[in-house]
Amino acid sequence: EGSDVVIEKFINCLMHDGKKTVARRIFWDAMDVIKTRTKDAPLEVFNKALLNVTPLVEVRPKRVGGSVYQVPVEVNPKRQQTLAIRWLLGGARDRKGIPMAHRLALELLDASQDQGAAFKKKQDVIKMAQANKAFVHLAR
């Protein structure tokens, strides 16, 4: 199943100091938390969250004659996934004071409803790309 690969990847990114069992437990605990907060299937929430924070464009710095332009470029699928995962985990890690499984669950729930830190991050990236549309012609 497709999402299994994604889940594995997600767990690998979540993993700290090679402690995969811990990471896996955190992930599934988060899924349990999501179960208590919503009637949607936890994995659907997870997939929706990923989808919602997946960026289609980003800006890359490009040097042209002494000045650096932020050039909007399309994000290739592999990087889209990487960024989405990184932002979700970043958003979860920044929520202080509660266990990681809870933070992750909340961030995923937020993201699945177009909210939260990771989603905001994607919006910011889109904004930057829009603002720098003028430099598209520099894209390589």
Side-chain angles (χ1 to χ4, degrees):
E1 191 186 319
S3 75
D4 285 1
V5 184
V6 184
I7 290 170
E8 276 305 298
K9 183 133 181 70
F10 194 83
I11 289 171
N12 285 343
C13 295
L14 172 60
M15 175 168 60
H16 211 356
D17 291 340
K19 300 192 171 170
K20 190 151 191 179
T21 329
V22 178
R24 186 169 278 130
R25 143 123 333 131
I26 290 174
F27 180 82
W28 293 110
D29 283 355
M31 292 300 120
D32 288 341
V33 175
I34 290 175
K35 263 192 204 107
T36 64
R37 300 284 176 110
T38 168
K39 21 185 211 321
D40 301 337
L43 288 179
E44 268 171 38
V45 172
F46 171 71
N47 285 323
K48 186 147 191 253
L50 263 182
L51 199 66
N52 285 353
V53 301
T54 300
L56 298 173
V57 288
E58 63 177 338
V59 290
R60 285 242 152 120
K62 178 153 187 353
R63 289 209 41 191
V64 180
S67 40
V68 178
Y69 297 109
Q70 295 288 343
V71 181
V73 290
E74 286 186 12
V75 190
N76 77 24
K78 209 161 169 67
R79 183 158 164 81
Q80 285 180 6
Q81 188 192 28
T82 307
L83 285 172
I85 291 175
R86 184 182 302 163
W87 293 347
L88 282 168
L89 289 174
R93 290 195 171 112
D94 288 343
R95 293 168 182 249
K96 289 282 175 270
I98 49 175
M100 183 59 184
H102 265 83
R103 288 183 281 172
L104 182 56
L106 292 175
E107 186 63 38
L108 288 170
L109 283 165
D110 272 356
S112 70
Q113 288 149 10
D114 287 349
Q115 287 164 330
F119 184 74
K120 182 174 171 326
K121 182 96 179 158
K122 170 182 159 182
Q123 296 306 87
D124 291 348
V125 166
I126 290 175
K127 269 201 211 76
M128 272 168 56
Q130 297 267 308
N132 291 298
K133 252 202 174 84
F135 305 133
V136 169
H137 65 281
L138 299 173
R140 270 261 161 271

